[in-house]
Amino acid sequence: MSTTRTITGIAPAIAEAIDQEMAQRTDIVVLGEDVTYWGAVFGFTMGLFQKYGRDRVIDTPITEQTFMGMAVGAAAVGLHPVVSLMFVDFLGAGFDQMYNHMAKNHYMSGGQFAMPVTVLTAIGGGYGDAEQHSQVLYGLFAHVPGFKVVVPATAYDAKGLTISALRDPNPVVIFGHKLLTGLPFLPFEGIADEPVPDTPYTVEFGKAAVRREGRDVTLVAAGLMVHRCLRAAEQLAQQGIDAEVIDVRTLVPLDTATLVASARKTGRVLIVDEDYQSFGMTGELAFRIQADAFDALKAPIRRLAVPDVPIPFSAPLEQRVIPSVERIVAEAQALFGAPARATAR
């Protein structure tokens, strides 16, 4: 019988999802840097080594190219590797195996070889970890055909989406924001004591969540930015602006229908992203929304993302480039007062 108890943060939720699937299946193995005693540093694999031992939870050297290649080979012979890429910033060290093999082997083999690999990686800034440990970069993976791209914002979603990934025959990359992990050594901006079922369940890929309903403006985001949009919506409500907040949950597949329906309802859309602005999520979502809702827009779509600069170490500069609640409020206010340049036909 399923019961619900509370969890704070996505890290214990992801670890629980992997644990419950490993208990039922012998094909799942976990590998990467510090996945044993350190739980992949950000807690995504904590407790698994103590329960399943070194045969199924395997520490590797700092060799992303090697352990990503090990995962590709293991998947080809029937295993389901869970691979920890500790910081997404280091994807370049293993990207050939990911880009040219993990993402393509199923297609290139004419469907002979499935590639069931789940990649876990920590993303995001906001705590002074500087240029090489603070990026998001999910836009790079969403750009490559063959990957599914998952960005959980809540513990409930983190568990359900991880189990969906572990039951998927394709490569799935799960991007866990550090400020949502719930670990004591990091700031936390997620939901404290969130109700989560203790039994396994799935959350379907490609289904966005409407986190807050509204009628005046649509705020679209993923991961940490969902929570900042929700706080911005509360401030906007005090000013008489009723904001709807949509959590995309997965970039690939993307729930375009929910985005378009909200845009057609409110007529105003602000897309908020912690990834770099140029050629990223904001531009892709804006195009897809306008393609099916242009006649309903009361103003051009706006976006708020990281400008095309590295994430600074300096706290004031870092706060300046990563979208804050205050800047989301200001952009939404500007959008609400913007003249209508898109006219209905």
Side-chain angles (χ1 to χ4, degrees), residues 4-17:
T4 297
R5 74 280 191 262
T6 59
I7 289 180
T8 295
I10 63 172
I14 290 173
E16 181 173 280

Side-chain angles (χ1 to χ4, degrees), residues 116-131:
V117 182
T118 300
V119 178
L120 303 171
T121 190
I123 63 170
Y127 63 105
D129 218 0
E131 293 85 347

Side-chain angles (χ1 to χ4, degrees), residues 17-227:
I18 300 170
D19 177 19
Q20 291 180 344
E21 288 298 290
M22 288 182 77
Q24 299 299 319
R25 297 163 46 187
T26 59
D27 62 321
I28 297 176
V29 294
V30 178
L31 65 155
E33 300 151 358
D34 294 325
V35 295
T36 57
Y37 298 107
W38 285 59
V41 174
F42 295 103
F44 301 142
T45 63
M46 57 186 170
L48 301 177
F49 169 66
Q50 291 79 359
K51 189 169 183 178
Y52 298 100
R54 205 171 291 280
D55 287 344
R56 297 184 67 189
V57 184
I58 306 160
D59 270 333
T60 65
I62 306 174
T63 53
E64 284 81 359
Q65 183 84 329
T66 298
F67 62 73
M68 288 298 173
M70 289 170 60
V72 170
V77 295
L79 296 178
H80 188 128
V82 176
V83 193
S84 169
L85 178 62
M86 189 185 297
F87 290 85
V88 75
D89 311 77
F90 300 121
L91 69 91
F95 211 27
D96 179 56
Q97 289 294 338
M98 302 177 75
Y99 190 104
N100 281 323
H101 301 285
M102 191 183 295
K104 294 182 172 68
N105 279 5
H106 183 253
Y107 180 83
M108 293 180 67
S109 68
Q112 295 182 75
F113 297 105
M115 198 51 51
V117 182
T118 300
V119 178
L120 303 171
T121 190
I123 63 170
Y127 63 105
D129 218 0
E131 293 85 347
Q132 297 172 333
H133 295 78
S134 301
Q135 300 174 100
V136 168
L137 300 181
Y138 41 55
L140 291 176
F141 288 84
H143 184 67
V144 179
F147 287 119
K148 295 184 179 179
V149 176
V150 174
V151 192
T154 68
Y156 179 91
D157 279 6
K159 180 176 177 179
L161 290 167
T162 299
I163 291 178
S164 293
L166 293 169
R167 297 178 184 180
D168 197 295
N170 300 289
V172 179
V173 187
I174 300 174
F175 296 81
H177 200 289
K178 293 162 221 163
L179 302 196
L180 299 178
T181 54
L183 299 179
F185 59 86
L186 287 168
F188 182 61
E189 296 191 30
I191 303 171
D193 299 322
E194 181 183 343
V196 177
D198 62 359
T199 52
Y201 61 90
T202 59
V203 172
E204 186 178 357
F205 293 163
K207 296 291 183 183
V210 179
R211 300 294 183 192
R212 186 185 193 281
E213 293 191 0
R215 63 177 185 278
D216 295 329
V217 60
T218 299
L219 308 180
V220 182
L224 174 68
M225 290 299 124
V226 172
H227 298 278

Side-chain angles (χ1 to χ4, degrees), residues 263-284:
R264 299 193 74 85
K265 180 172 74 169
T266 66
R268 300 177 180 87
V269 179
L270 170 62
I271 305 168
V272 182
D273 189 19
E274 195 180 335
D275 208 347
Y276 299 121
Q277 176 168 292
S278 294
F279 307 97
M281 182 187 96
T282 56
E284 182 65 26

